Amino acid sequence: MLVFQRLLPLLAVLLLGLGLGGCAGKVSPSSRYLLPAATPEVPSAPEATLALGRLRLAHYLDVEGIVMQLDDIELREAREHRWAEGLDQQLTRNLKAHLSQDLPAWRVTQASPGDNDAYNLDVSIDQFQGRHDGYAVASGQWQLRSAEGRLLHMDSFSARTALEQDGYPALVRALGQSLEQAADEIAAGIRRAVL
């Protein structure tokens, strides 16, 4: 009986530790986000075809969590606020839709081996994140090539949108607006390069 009384406090501490360990091991549910969808225009008789190549992301953006820039040098990937699908896939789909709206006489497609007469557009994304100052930023470079592969134009783009309120849903909507601004810049550059 004396041995049991001496072991009782030890057992209580052990059970308490197991109980707390179980609570700490529980993962809180994460939220998943998609960029706001854009509706592509479909031209009835396209004047030209623009083939959008594989979009390249900066390595730090090729993650599941939404990226926040905390100051001038520190970035953090959100653990509980994640993209519902790969960011490169979302950006490609939305960029294609926005470009088809901005270039209504063009047929905008995904690049494929059969696009022999298409202009080719390659896009690299350097920034696509929320910032500590309340802005959502998108920046990068783009190149337009002829069907023969000759470089016609290259340029950079940069867009920022102020968040209307705090929180990740507002950030994702603002990132969508920044992407739309970037698409507008790219479309204007394509028109200048080709006309």
Side-chain angles (χ1 to χ4, degrees):
M1 184 76 167
L2 186 59
V3 172
F4 181 71
Q5 287 176 338
R6 289 187 181 181
L7 289 177
L8 192 57
L10 181 61
L11 286 173
V13 169
L14 182 63
L15 289 173
L16 181 62
L18 288 173
L20 289 175
C23 291
K26 291 183 181 175
V27 177
S28 60
S30 63
S31 298
R32 300 277 180 170
Y33 298 89
L34 287 172
L35 289 170
T39 306
E41 295 287 326
V42 180
S44 55
E47 295 174 9
T49 300
L50 179 66
L52 182 58
R54 186 174 184 276
L55 189 127
R56 290 181 298 281
L57 287 176
H59 182 67
Y60 76 92
L61 293 172
D62 196 10
V63 293
E64 285 189 27
I66 297 171
V67 174
M68 279 294 301
Q69 185 174 346
L70 304 179
D71 56 30
D72 60 333
I73 60 169
E74 187 178 358
L75 298 166
R76 179 160 300 146
E77 175 190 358
R79 281 189 244 166
E80 296 177 9
H81 299 278
R82 299 176 175 271
W83 295 113
E85 74 174 316
L87 183 57
D88 59 339
Q89 295 167 319
Q90 291 186 67
L91 289 170
T92 299
R93 183 174 54 249
N94 280 24
L95 187 58
K96 180 177 169 272
H98 286 305
L99 288 171
S100 71
Q101 290 173 348
D102 291 341
L103 301 167
W106 290 54
R107 182 173 68 95
V108 182
T109 66
Q110 295 275 153
S112 66
D115 290 329
N116 296 334
D117 60 343
Y119 291 94
N120 295 289
L121 177 66
D122 293 318
V123 179
S124 296
I125 305 288
D126 298 329
Q127 292 183 310
F128 196 76
Q129 68 240 20
R131 265 193 346 211
H132 60 92
D133 59 359
Y135 284 92
V137 295
S139 69
Q141 297 84 37
W142 61 275
Q143 294 181 357
L144 180 68
R145 295 185 181 277
S146 68
E148 298 79 33
R150 186 171 46 91
L151 181 64
L152 299 174
H153 191 76
M154 61 187 293
D155 209 342
S156 60
F157 61 88
S158 181
R160 69 180 194 154
T161 304
L163 273 66
E164 293 182 5
Q165 59 190 25
D166 289 340
Y168 281 90
L171 172 58
V172 170
R173 287 186 184 92
L175 284 168
Q177 291 172 357
S178 291
L179 179 62
E180 186 174 355
Q181 292 173 34
D184 293 346
E185 279 186 46
I186 293 169
I190 290 171
R191 282 192 296 269
R192 285 191 302 271
V194 172
L195 296 178

